[in-house]
Amino acid sequence: MKIDPYKHRERYLRWKESAKNGLAHLSPQNKQILLKYINDMEMGLNVAFIMKKGPRSFIRLNALRIRIGFLMKLFQEKCNLPDLTQVTEEQLHKLFGELRNGTISRNDGKIYQSAKDYARDFKAFWHWHQK
């Protein structure tokens, strides 16, 4: 049995229960897409053929739900898109450019150091959506 000192499993399960009641910052379409994506990753369904098959860890599930949820919220605010699957390539490049150069900053005013991680996770989401 693996020890989970940071309580990733409990945090994920708590979020999953609270998400059933609704996610306040997301549109209903985005909420449905996010829950379906995270559930597929939890079970290891519809993953890339190159990647290892099977369920993802609770650490990875927490990271995915936070990052993809954040991107959904940004696209809702910046581009008025109620559904992340309607994003265009131009909107994507503009948003990730703004994350990199600091136009969109963190809550403490600093520049995002991990814009590439958000892009990588969005790429994984997009390929999941295409399947």
Side-chain angles (χ1 to χ4, degrees), residues 2 34 117:
K2 290 186 177 181
L34 179 64
D117 294 336

Side-chain angles (χ1 to χ4, degrees), residues 25-26 29-31 33-34 67-77 81 84 125:
H25 63 282
L26 294 180
Q29 299 94 340
N30 276 337
K31 176 194 168 218
I33 292 168
L34 179 64
R67 287 185 181 148
I68 299 298
F70 172 72
L71 290 174
M72 286 177 169
K73 181 180 167 190
L74 275 180
F75 280 114
Q76 281 179 192
E77 293 172 357
L81 290 175
L84 184 62
F125 165 78

Side-chain angles (χ1 to χ4, degrees), residues 43-101:
M43 292 185 282
L45 301 175
N46 206 1
V47 295
F49 67 91
I50 298 171
M51 302 305 293
K52 182 180 176 186
K53 304 299 180 204
R56 301 299 177 244
S57 70
F58 291 110
I59 297 169
R60 183 71 183 138
L61 293 172
N62 280 326
L64 284 173
R65 74 172 173 84
I66 290 168
R67 287 185 181 148
I68 299 298
F70 172 72
L71 290 174
M72 286 177 169
K73 181 180 167 190
L74 275 180
F75 280 114
Q76 281 179 192
E77 293 172 357
K78 301 283 184 187
C79 304
N80 296 324
L81 290 175
D83 186 356
L84 184 62
T85 60
Q86 304 303 317
V87 70
T88 64
E89 188 175 355
E90 182 182 325
Q91 291 170 329
L92 274 174
H93 285 282
K94 182 179 177 190
L95 184 95
F96 286 122
E98 289 176 355
L99 278 175
R100 272 193 308 275
N101 68 21

Side-chain angles (χ1 to χ4, degrees), residues 23-42:
L23 300 171
H25 63 282
L26 294 180
S27 68
Q29 299 94 340
N30 276 337
K31 176 194 168 218
Q32 184 179 19
I33 292 168
L34 179 64
L35 289 175
K36 185 164 175 36
Y37 177 60
I38 297 298
N39 284 334
D40 278 2
M41 292 299 112
E42 183 180 4

Side-chain angles (χ1 to χ4, degrees), residues 103-118:
T103 305
I104 299 173
S105 60
R106 300 185 326 193
N107 288 337
D108 61 1
K110 296 181 181 177
I111 296 174
Y112 280 97
Q113 297 293 317
S114 61
K116 65 179 181 183
D117 294 336
Y118 284 90

